[in-house]
Amino acid sequence: MRQDDSSDGLAQGQGSTSPLEHAPEFFPALNPTACRSGNNGECSLPCDLLARAKRRLLGSEQRFRTLFEHAGFGIALIDPHGRILDMNKAGVSFLGYSLSEIQAKNAADYIHPDDVQRTRESFRELEEGRRDYFELTKRYLRKDGALVWGRQIVTLVRKENDEPDYFISMLEDITENRRADDMLRHLAFHDALTELANRALFLDRLGTAIRRGKRNPDFIFSVLFLDLDRFKLINDSLGHPAGDAMLCEIAARLTECVRDSDTLARFGGDEFAILLDGLSDPLETLKIIERIRNALARPFFLDGHELFAGASIGVVLDTERYENPDEIVRDADIAMYRAKENGNAVYEIFDSRMHEQAREVLRMETDLRKALERGEFELYFQPIVSLRGNRVTGMEALIRWRHPERGLMSPGEFIPQAEEAGLIFDIDRWVLANACSILDLWSERYTAAHDLLLNINLSAKYFLKRDAVDDFSEILRVTGVRPSRLRLEITENLILDGDEHVTGKLLKLRAMGVSLALDDFGTGYSSLSYLVRYPFDAIKIDRSFTRSMLEKPNDMAIVQSVLALGKNLGLEVVAEGVETLEQAAKLREWDCDFAQGYFYFRPMPASDVMDLLAKPSGLVLTY
Ligand code: C2E
Ligand code: CA
Ligand code: CA
């Protein structure tokens, strides 16, 4: 409610007289008829001087009129009651009313309600002589209902007796500037693709929530950090436009799951963060997670494909412990990783033990960096046997890490971290160089080693290095190993993770004479198409199928189909993870050519391989 306070210069107007007649009064100094000498018209100045002064004043009034009417900005004369006495064309068109409509109302009527109070205060300061002028940027309401922005500069003209006489208000239309500003601000704080808040805005809001929580312990908020599972796959197989469309659809679905007061942000890539504000109970968060889960469980339709998006969610519930937004986001991120690691866990709530574990990972990274220099890696070799030839025909090099405190570690415990930390290139290089020189040594000493094929596992990340192929050839050159003696085992991820460059590099190596095996077949994604598209020489059936092929008809069917597929495509098939006589017998029965597993040989150090090679029938199978 506006107060009818006449001293604030903005009281309700009560109609007005004709505006133009006012001008002389409002500019008393310009009024040639009013002598303000205080001598009751008895002016002591000589008459010709007075006449000249009158002419000059008339001239300046005209000049003022012209300036007033044609100024590119609005000018208004406002009386101490807030009545607009006069307004020029620019001012009138800014507000969209006619001059008489403007004069019929009060100046405050055109101002956005949220800006009225500030305006009143500024007028009061002028009247009370606390300032000579004021400048305000504020919103006005046009007749057509549109909101426009103006910059107003106001001065007060006082009467002889120092009473406020009238205000001169100059008004510049800055709506366009504001729009540009707003747009820039929007761009700075929003994600361009999804229009959601970005990281900066999210952290800002989270900071506000933290401060609010400190002032008011009843204010409860929680943070979710969400990362899509296998999103890269969609991007890589269907292309970026499809990936973008998917992200937008996900953003829309997430928006449905939260309230307007919550902040949903995209942190880039396939990461989203959600700030749930003003909860009545932290556990409400779980209901929202359930909602998100359901929303994402519905299929997505993109380019005629039906797709599903899983997400891993990290949650921070006990937000009152935190001092700054980055820490909360970091912990939500740690919890998200944990959810991802757990595979089928949809979400994971952060607890402080995770810190210890995260620190552990960091420590491992530091150790890994030093491991190469300190020579802590070793190679083990596991024979690959030909069931038809009844002998060992190849060796798979498998890395081990002899950790100073933890003892011998298997690659599953450190390869993923090495990939994360960007160390895999150097490690794979080390494996390659060492395996090649060991093969060279064996071949020099034992004729039995002459036609052994050496299988080497290379991570996708190795091929991401620009000069991977040159590097590879250089290693072969230095160790003197012929390319045909090497077989690279690669997983489907390699093809998926890599772009065409990776595939191009593989083809180059193949052209050099290196053979390729598709590793862990059956565990990945739409494997069949790769077999047709890429020049593989062999398929390795993942040990999870071998393990249960005698118990699970499904797995038996898969093993048999892969064997048949290999025959049809002319590829060698290696069954991995053969542990029992029964499995070995079945594979023979099914005409499987090659096998590998504890039943035949466990992975062994290079020296044990030498012992085998030294024995006359060391490579011959006993079964
Ligand atoms: P992979 O390529 O599938 O290697 C076969 C894994 O199965 C080896 O585990 C081997 O010890 C194990 N294995 C062999 N026979 C049996 C069996 O009968 N039963 C069971 N339960 N397991 C068997 P390992 O050595 O722990 O290697 C694990 C994975 O680490 C490898 O899986 C491979 O993907 C990766 N890896 C190993 N060495 C390297 C390397 O030098 N570079 C890279 N980038 N990755 C490596
Ligand atoms: Ca392998
Ligand atoms: Ca494998």
Side-chain angles (χ1 to χ4, degrees):
M1 277 285 275
R2 193 178 32 239
Q3 286 174 314
D4 197 0
D5 176 358
S6 60
S7 71
D8 63 6
L10 281 170
Q12 195 91 43
Q14 246 88 50
S16 128
T17 38
S18 163
L20 285 176
E21 273 99 82
H22 276 290
E25 266 180 50
F26 291 127
F27 292 85
L30 302 181
N31 186 344
T33 58
C35 179
R36 300 252 168 173
S37 62
N39 293 342
N40 289 333
E42 293 291 304
C43 192
S44 56
L45 290 168
C47 274
D48 60 328
L49 229 167
L50 192 64
R52 245 188 297 148
K54 276 182 184 171
R55 273 200 302 280
R56 209 179 306 138
L57 284 171
L58 270 171
S60 37
E61 193 204 343
Q62 250 153 20
R63 278 204 293 279
F64 167 73
R65 272 278 131 219
T66 312
L67 181 73
F68 180 82
E69 281 308 334
H70 300 290
F73 50 89
I75 306 177
L77 307 176
I78 305 169
D79 80 1
H81 303 285
R83 279 187 294 250
I84 295 180
L85 301 161
D86 198 2
M87 187 180 267
N88 69 349
K89 282 197 204 108
V92 168
S93 78
F94 176 69
L95 292 178
Y97 289 91
S98 70
L99 184 59
S100 51
E101 283 172 322
I102 287 172
Q103 287 169 330
K105 292 203 192 181
N106 187 278
D109 297 338
Y110 306 105
I111 301 171
H112 188 284
D114 292 349
D115 290 336
V116 168
Q117 194 52 37
R118 276 190 315 139
T119 311
R120 282 175 198 277
E121 276 157 20
S122 302
F123 270 95
R124 194 171 296 134
E125 285 177 7
L126 272 189
E127 283 185 318
E128 291 170 1
R130 284 187 275 146
R131 289 153 164 264
D132 296 333
Y133 76 97
F134 72 79
E135 181 176 337
L136 276 185
T137 295
K138 63 190 186 203
R139 289 155 292 182
Y140 291 84
L141 300 168
R142 284 174 58 98
K143 188 178 182 181
D144 60 11
L147 193 141
V148 284
W149 283 87
R151 179 165 38 239
Q152 185 188 30
I153 298 178
V154 181
T155 57
L156 171 63
V157 175
R158 291 180 184 278
K159 297 182 191 156
E160 282 292 281
N161 63 3
D162 228 26
E163 286 284 300
D165 197 353
Y166 57 90
F167 298 95
I168 305 176
S169 161
M170 285 173 286
L171 187 60
E172 186 190 357
D173 182 356
I174 55 163
T175 311
E176 278 311 310
N177 306 1
R178 277 309 286 221
R179 264 189 211 132
D181 276 4
D182 285 351
M183 182 121 85
L184 284 178
R185 207 186 321 252
H186 186 84
L187 285 178
F189 288 111
H190 290 83
D191 167 48
L193 175 67
T194 58
E195 291 280 312
L196 296 181
N198 65 8
R199 189 190 185 95
L201 181 55
F202 186 84
L203 291 178
D204 185 65
R205 300 250 173 98
L206 187 51
T208 309
I210 292 173
R211 287 191 296 278
R212 208 164 145 198
K214 296 265 178 267
R215 285 196 306 271
N216 172 12
D218 291 337
F219 179 76
I220 300 172
F221 65 98
S222 64
V223 170
L224 310 183
F225 194 90
L226 185 148
D227 186 282
L228 301 177
D229 299 332
R230 292 173 155 263
F231 177 70
K232 204 172 157 13
L233 215 60
I234 290 171
N235 242 348
D236 290 349
S237 52
L238 300 181
H240 281 266
D244 285 355
M246 176 101 169
L247 287 172
C248 289
E249 174 63 23
I250 284 169
R253 290 196 193 174
L254 290 176
T255 308
E256 287 167 24
C257 300
V258 299
R259 302 155 305 166
D260 285 347
S261 54
D262 298 326
T263 302
L264 167 62
R266 178 173 171 237
F267 274 23
D270 55 353
E271 292 177 344
F272 295 85
I274 304 173
L275 166 62
L276 300 172
D277 240 338
L279 301 169
S280 52
D281 180 329
L283 294 179
E284 267 180 71
T285 309
L286 304 187
K287 280 194 214 128
I288 293 179
I289 291 176
E290 190 54 31
R291 234 184 279 160
I292 292 176
R293 224 166 74 94
N294 290 333
L296 296 184
R298 303 198 310 265
F300 292 79
F301 295 95
L302 279 184
D303 287 352
H305 298 269
E306 186 184 22
L307 302 167
F308 291 89
S312 308
I313 304 177
V315 188
V316 177
L317 291 182
D318 50 349
T319 45
E320 71 279 354
R321 317 192 276 115
Y322 293 86
E323 297 297 330
N324 76 61
D326 290 311
E327 289 168 6
I328 298 188
V329 169
R330 177 201 61 203
D331 288 352
D333 189 32
I334 292 177
M336 183 279 291
Y337 262 99
R338 186 51 55 86
K340 222 173 247 289
E341 273 168 22
N342 286 359
N344 43 15
V346 176
Y347 68 90
E348 201 68 59
I349 297 170
F350 182 82
D351 79 66
S352 40
R353 259 169 308 165
M354 290 183 189
H355 262 306
E356 190 37 49
Q357 285 150 347
R359 220 169 289 143
E360 187 64 24
V361 169
L362 265 184
R363 211 172 300 146
M364 162 102 93
E365 250 183 63
T366 321
D367 287 355
L368 261 177
R369 277 178 210 283
K370 294 185 194 143
L372 266 179
E373 301 161 22
R374 294 183 181 166
E376 289 169 1
F377 291 119
E378 293 175 15
L379 283 180
Y380 271 50
F381 295 88
Q382 185 179 33
I384 296 168
V385 301
S386 157
L387 296 182
R388 202 175 295 164
N390 269 321
R391 55 182 290 115
V392 174
T393 52
M395 292 282 172
E396 177 176 2
L398 295 162
I399 193 171
R400 299 287 179 267
W401 179 11
R402 199 168 290 280
H403 191 281
E405 289 138 37
R406 304 175 194 210
L408 200 64
M409 288 173 71
S410 67
E413 295 172 87
F414 61 88
I415 291 283
Q417 267 98 327
E419 291 187 343
E420 281 281 301
L423 298 166
I424 196 68
F425 183 82
D426 291 330
I427 294 178
D428 276 353
R429 233 180 144 259
W430 180 89
V431 171
L432 198 56
N434 279 271
C436 284
S437 46
I438 291 173
L439 180 68
D440 190 46
L441 178 79
W442 291 342
S443 307
E444 218 168 75
R445 293 207 190 155
Y446 310 101
T447 44
H450 284 181
D451 25 53
L452 276 185
L453 194 60
L454 181 65
N455 287 37
I456 292 174
N457 296 282
L458 282 184
S459 149
K461 302 280 187 319
Y462 176 85
F463 290 97
L464 287 180
K465 240 331 195 257
R466 194 152 19 95
D467 51 0
V469 174
D470 295 339
D471 188 70
F472 193 96
S473 328
E474 179 63 10
I475 292 174
L476 293 200
R477 200 187 58 76
V478 170
T479 53
V481 167
R482 275 177 289 118
S484 58
R485 303 210 54 193
L486 294 186
R487 173 165 290 175
L488 299 186
E489 295 195 3
I490 59 182
T491 56
E492 288 151 344
N493 305 351
L494 185 132
I495 301 164
L496 287 172
D497 280 359
D499 40 21
E500 300 112 62
H501 299 293
V502 171
T503 323
K505 285 172 197 168
L506 278 181
L507 293 176
K508 270 191 199 154
L509 293 180
R510 180 80 205 302
M512 278 165 56
V514 177
S515 68
L516 304 176
L518 185 55
D519 204 355
D520 302 345
F521 187 79
T523 56
Y525 210 68
S526 58
S527 320
L528 280 180
S529 62
Y530 300 127
L531 282 181
V532 183
R533 255 195 290 156
Y534 299 95
F536 286 107
D537 303 275
I539 311 172
K540 298 188 84 175
I541 302 178
D542 190 69
R543 64 175 179 275
S544 59
F545 299 108
T546 315
R547 190 195 308 133
S548 44
M549 65 180 190
L550 298 184
E551 291 91 52
K552 292 190 190 156
N554 244 352
D555 288 349
M556 180 188 289
I558 288 173
V559 172
Q560 285 179 320
S561 329
V562 178
L563 289 171
L565 187 80
K567 287 246 150 55
N568 283 332
L569 295 174
L571 303 175
E572 291 179 6
V573 178
V574 185
E576 290 188 321
V578 181
E579 294 187 357
T580 64
L581 177 65
E582 291 73 26
Q583 290 162 350
K586 259 297 178 254
L587 289 166
R588 270 185 195 282
E589 190 187 313
W590 293 337
D591 244 0
C592 174
D593 292 337
F594 296 93
Q596 192 181 4
Y598 295 170
F599 174 71
Y600 306 102
F601 296 96
R602 289 193 167 246
M604 59 186 97
S607 54
D608 288 8
V609 177
M610 301 251 251
D611 292 345
L612 272 188
L613 289 169
K615 276 191 246 164
S617 53
L619 298 185
V620 177
L621 285 195
T622 47
Y623 167 77

